Amino acid sequence: MEAKQYIESGILELYVYGLLTEKENLEIAELARENPEVESEIISIEKAVSALSSSFSPFHSVANFEKTKARLELNDGKVFDIKSPSNRSQYLSWAAAVLLLLGFGYQTLELAKSKQAVSETGDEKNKIEREYAFLDQQNKQTEKNLSIVRDIKNTSVTLGGQSVSPASFAKVYWNKEAKTTYIDAAGLPNPPKGMVYQVWSLKLSPVLTPTSIGLLDNFEENSQKIFAVSQTDSAEAFGITLEPAGGSLTPTMEQLYTLGKV
Amino acid sequence: MSQEELLVLIRKKDERAFTHLYDMYSKSLFSVINVLVKNREEAEDVLQEVFVKIWKNIDSYSESKGRFYTWILNIARNASIDKLRSKNFNNTQKKLSSDNFVNLLDDSNKLANKLDAIGIQEFVKKLKPKCIEIIDLLFFKGYTQQEASEELAIPLGTVKTQNRNCINDLRNYLKI
């Protein structure tokens, strides 16, 4: 029989249904192996009846599937290695313990880091507070000094450099009403160790009469170089001399740094 | 997964293969079992039995003897008939011939895959009654040509050609 005749005869359907004798089955199976047309016809018939019967299947429970698996001792892979669950759980607990420890370690480390950060921040804060306090003080000083310089009632006297130090200069802000006198000594070099600047108010006539109105103490530490000195009522001139620490009763004229007339 | 790949895995007793096997064939086989065994619970028992046999006896199947589907179809029919025998149904044949696979539709609320199945069910309802009868006897109930010829009162020679024509109508509808 030709392949075509086999196909048309309807025997392939019976082959799929399983209704042929063993001899016929072997014959068709062999034919199918040799002939792709027969093979594909068989597969198509199988698909058709499989689809037909599947579409008429009444509902059957999932429990039935599970029961069948249980009968075959197929249990989600566990059947392959009975020991594995306990091993796995043991392994898992160790892994969990290790993770927990690592977690602890990490947390401790983080805590230490945080504490350090907090303390560093605290230090930083203190430093900033100190700096702020310093700047605040500086600022207040500056404001005060500025108010001194700006005071309209001031008599401002510029003291020029003298032969011992021609580049030096200083300013005197003399407020006769408030009876305050300030010296701006920014134009003076730092005094040598053990020496101090001394400020004199001078009367020029009838005779030159110097009166000490104060020392510019802590010269280097005074960053703004504005010094308050004693008041004076009747100055015709101001002079600044370099004197031994503690000051002198009379000015050392050889060490007159600046001098200016009112 | 192709049938060939599936068979390789079943022979290795790979558990994943069982799930595939069940997905691919349980509905088809369950409808066959239900046509033969009218009782739903008993049909479920038979279905279990059938899959246990497929799994355990896979080594007795050989591609050289026929299709895998044919093999499991025969297991399903035989297991159903065994069940009926164990229940001492004396007039099994008579009882069986009184209805066919289309009657499974009466139990419509219990049909699996309802939506996918509606189309094909509607189509089958339009099939010639002779087609339904002949497919029912040959495919579902596993009648021999001789038995079908007698049951349907048609010449033996026309049983398989009539069946083929009916299956061709079905294949045209399914575009297979």
Side-chain angles (χ1 to χ4, degrees), chain A residues 127-139:
Chain A
K127 195 179 159 201
I128 288 168
E129 277 176 350
R130 282 197 304 275
E131 279 176 2
Y132 174 79
F134 175 72
L135 287 173
D136 191 46
Q137 201 189 344
Q138 289 276 92
N139 194 33

Side-chain angles (χ1 to χ4, degrees), chain A residues 7 9 13-19 29 41 46 52-53 55 57-59 61 64 67-68 71 76-77, chain B residues 15 27-28 31 40 44 48-49 64 66-67 70 77 110 112 117 120-121 124 143 160 163-164 167 171:
Chain A
I7 291 168
S9 73
E13 280 81 357
L14 301 186
Y15 172 74
V16 172
Y17 293 2
L19 302 180
E41 182 72 10
E46 183 178 302
L52 174 71
S53 51
S55 72
S57 173
F59 174 80
S61 61
N64 209 46
K67 277 183 204 165
T68 313
R71 282 176 69 174
D76 297 322
Chain B
E15 194 204 324
K27 282 182 199 155
S28 174
S31 68
R40 268 281 309 291
E44 288 209 359
Q48 281 184 38
E49 194 61 44
S64 66
R67 301 289 297 168
T70 305
R77 287 201 204 101
K110 286 174 182 168
I120 196 166
Q121 289 162 12
V124 168
Y143 277 41
K160 64 174 185 271
N163 173 68
R164 175 165 173 82
I167 292 298
R171 284 170 60 187

Side-chain angles (χ1 to χ4, degrees), chain A residues 82-94:
Chain A
I82 291 158
K83 295 241 166 163
S84 79
S86 62
N87 285 345
R88 190 179 300 159
S89 67
Q90 199 177 22
Y91 169 76
L92 277 175
S93 18
W94 277 111

Side-chain angles (χ1 to χ4, degrees), chain A residues 38-101:
Chain A
V38 171
E39 172 80 359
S40 87
E41 182 72 10
I42 288 167
I43 290 169
S44 294
I45 293 163
E46 183 178 302
K47 279 182 184 168
V49 291
S50 175
L52 174 71
S53 51
S54 294
S55 72
F56 281 90
S57 173
F59 174 80
H60 56 283
S61 61
V62 177
N64 209 46
F65 169 67
E66 295 299 337
K67 277 183 204 165
T68 313
K69 269 171 68 171
R71 282 176 69 174
L72 290 169
E73 294 175 327
L74 297 172
N75 212 348
D76 297 322
K78 286 171 195 161
V79 71
F80 294 115
D81 188 357
I82 291 158
K83 295 241 166 163
S84 79
S86 62
N87 285 345
R88 190 179 300 159
S89 67
Q90 199 177 22
Y91 169 76
L92 277 175
S93 18
W94 277 111
V98 168
L99 277 177
L100 194 65
L101 271 177

Side-chain angles (χ1 to χ4, degrees), chain A residues 164-175:
Chain A
V164 68
S165 179
S168 293
F169 66 91
K171 277 199 159 189
V172 176
Y173 298 99
W174 179 29
N175 191 322

